[in-house]
Amino acid sequence: MRIELVRGDITTQDVDAVVNAANSGLLGGGGVDGAIHAAAGPELLEACRRLRASTFPDGLPTGKAVATDAGRLPARWVIHTVGPIYPRAADPASDLASAYRQSLRVADELGAGSVAFPSISTGAYAYPLTEAAPIALRTVATSGSSVELVRFVLFGGAALDAFRRAERDLS
C-alpha cells in the first residue's frame, strides 16, 4: 500500500472511494461531511436517507463504516464513517482506529484500489491533530487492506504538518 499526504479538497479527488467523516445521522453536517454532501448533490443525501430507513434507523455507530454511491463526485463511492467525539468517548483512540480500519474493510469489499481519507474527528469532534495523525497513519499502514493507494487529503496546513510529523516519527 502506498500512502500519500496532500493538502487539498477531498471532494475533487480522482479516487475510487472518498471517506466521509460523517455524523451518526448520515444526513450531512458541517466540515468534511457538509462539503462532501454539497459536492455530491442530492443523490448522496437520498442514498443516506435509504440507509437510515433500512440498515441504520438509529444512525451509524461510532467506529463503523458503510458505503454509498458518490453522486456527482469524481469518486465512485463514498465510505461514511463516524469518528469519536473527543474527549467524550470512553476510548477515543480505539474508536478512531476502528473508523479507519472499518473504512478500509468496506473499501476492500467494494474492490476499491484507491481511497482518499480526511483527518477523521479532528474538526468539530475536537480530536487533537498531534494524537490523531499517528493513530490514522499506523492503523492504515498495518490494516492488511488490499487498497493500493491511500491518500490523506488534509484541508489545512496544520493538519498536513501534523501528519508529516507523525509519518516521520513512525518511520
Side-chain angles (χ1 to χ4, degrees), residues 30-96:
V32 170
D33 192 17
I36 287 174
H37 271 269
E43 298 89 351
L44 183 60
L45 181 58
E46 185 51 39
C48 289
R49 283 186 175 138
R50 285 192 301 274
L51 280 173
R52 284 299 306 273
S54 60
T55 313
F56 297 103
D58 297 324
L60 184 64
T62 300
K64 302 297 182 190
V66 66
T68 62
D69 288 335
R72 299 175 187 169
L73 294 174
R76 184 169 176 191
W77 300 288
V78 174
I79 299 171
H80 309 268
T81 191
V82 180
I85 298 173
Y86 190 94
R88 291 192 333 209
D91 187 359
S94 177
D95 289 344
L96 185 60

Side-chain angles (χ1 to χ4, degrees), residues 9-18 73-76 114-116 149 151 153:
D9 179 350
I10 199 163
T11 68
T12 64
Q13 299 301 303
D14 187 12
V15 292
D16 296 327
V18 167
L73 294 174
R76 184 169 176 191
S114 56
V115 176
L149 169 66
R151 180 179 300 145
V153 182

Side-chain angles (χ1 to χ4, degrees), residues 137 163-171:
L137 290 168
F163 272 74
R164 283 184 177 156
R165 277 191 305 277
E167 184 179 49
R168 280 192 305 273
D169 292 345
L170 293 172
S171 295

